[in-house]
Amino acid sequence: MKIFPAIDIKDKKCVRLVKGDFDNKTEYEMSPIEQAGKYSDHGFKNLHIVDLDGALTGETINLDIIQEIVNKFNLKIEIGGGIRNFESIQKYTDAGVEKIILGSAAIKDKNFLKEACKKFPDKIALGLDAKDGYLSVSGWKENSDQLTLDYLKEVNDFGASRLIYTDINRDGMKQSPNFEETLKVADISNCPVIISGGVSSIDDIKKAKELNNKNIEGIIVGKAIYDGDIKLDELVKEVDA
């Protein structure tokens, strides 16, 4: 199983939100580049980054930071947050990012997702952020009327190379991921699935590995690292060689 330590960037700083609420934000001392270095030094190979400024503006606000992380460290990066056009995808691809996560733009415009997957083969990850079974969009500020599983069935053959499923009610709450719903998504998804939202302890990582679903590729860990509930030395031991 791949483990993706997370970095959320806002105003050039590492932050964590609770349930995606920009008013419920914790800022951390370490810069995104220092934090990426810390993950790299511990032996992690994958990194999940969310550009929260991008989510709010639809622009690649922190491209310079992402570029520096790519240049300095041997990390496979997936990046999300406000990526709404081919130009942004191209910028991140040119910067050396492994996967570009499309969320709101893909949900609001299925054709954009389809064309992006064609234009950037093996580069597009689909981010499905759900609340009570329904997809949320626009930095989680809007709920859509689309059921997660119905939407996935519609776009399953478009060619996304990865799917990241987040239960918003669990995100930043450290109450364990929603394994039940993630398994439902994994059972029908045509591409590998990443578990996201709510990891609280090393036991959640162990449980994810025990799910024994061949379609589950990895898990994202964020707030539990920053708050010290999970030690990086302990976490990196759970990475599959």
Side-chain angles (χ1 to χ4, degrees):
M1 174 162 294
K2 293 176 180 174
I3 294 176
F4 294 77
I7 293 176
D8 289 4
I9 305 173
K10 178 88 177 65
D11 302 323
K12 308 290 182 189
K13 295 175 181 170
C14 286
V15 304
R16 294 302 296 167
L17 308 182
V18 173
K19 297 187 183 180
D21 181 1
F22 284 86
D23 294 325
N24 195 344
K25 177 181 75 174
T26 306
E27 289 184 358
Y28 296 92
E29 298 263 321
M30 205 168 266
S31 75
I33 292 156
E34 288 169 332
Q35 190 68 30
K38 193 174 171 186
Y39 293 148
S40 179
D41 289 346
H42 276 80
F44 291 95
K45 301 297 181 201
N46 295 281
L47 179 60
H48 175 83
I49 299 179
V50 179
D51 180 353
L52 293 170
D53 298 298
L56 289 171
T57 64
E59 304 292 334
T60 54
I61 300 284
N62 292 298
L63 182 64
D64 56 336
I65 293 176
I66 310 303
Q67 183 72 72
E68 192 168 343
I69 291 171
V70 170
N71 292 346
K72 280 191 169 179
F73 312 111
N74 185 24
L75 291 164
K76 292 180 179 175
I77 295 168
E78 58 176 31
I79 173 86
I83 302 165
R84 296 169 194 161
N85 53 55
F86 296 138
E87 185 186 3
S88 294
I89 298 171
Q90 189 68 59
K91 283 179 183 176
Y92 283 128
T93 301
D94 291 346
V97 169
E98 189 199 25
K99 303 282 184 191
I100 293 95
I101 304 163
L102 300 184
S104 301
I107 292 158
K108 291 178 176 179
D109 182 358
K110 297 184 187 80
N111 198 51
F112 172 60
L113 173 65
K114 192 175 196 174
E115 291 304 312
C117 291
K118 273 189 203 166
K119 199 172 168 72
F120 301 93
D122 204 37
K123 281 287 180 188
I124 303 301
L126 176 59
L128 297 183
D129 304 328
K131 196 172 188 177
D132 305 321
Y134 288 88
L135 292 173
S136 285
V137 293
S138 300
W140 299 353
K141 294 192 293 292
E142 295 173 36
N143 291 326
S144 76
D145 57 359
Q146 299 221 57
L147 284 164
T148 305
L149 296 179
D150 288 350
Y151 171 83
L152 179 54
K153 285 170 189 170
E154 286 182 51
V155 304
N156 221 350
D157 295 327
F158 286 6
S161 61
R162 176 178 287 163
L163 193 156
I164 297 148
Y165 177 74
T166 306
D167 185 317
I168 293 168
N169 286 329
R170 306 289 181 103
D171 191 73
M173 296 299 289
K174 297 189 297 189
Q175 293 175 346
S176 296
N178 190 334
F179 292 117
E180 189 181 346
E181 285 300 313
T182 308
L183 282 170
K184 287 179 190 174
V185 169
D187 283 343
I188 65 167
S189 174
N190 283 352
C191 62
V193 174
I194 305 289
I195 303 165
S196 169
V199 171
S200 60
S201 71
I202 209 76
D203 290 340
D204 287 332
I205 310 298
K206 293 179 191 294
K207 185 172 179 183
K209 292 172 83 170
E210 286 163 9
L211 292 175
N212 207 17
N213 184 302
K214 63 179 179 4
N215 220 13
I216 290 181
E217 181 184 18
I219 189 164
I220 293 167
V221 190
K223 199 166 191 292
I225 292 172
Y226 290 89
D227 291 354
D229 298 301
I230 294 179
K231 302 287 183 260
L232 291 178
D233 291 342
E234 191 181 17
L235 184 62
V236 78
K237 289 175 187 167
E238 299 299 328
V239 176
D240 290 343

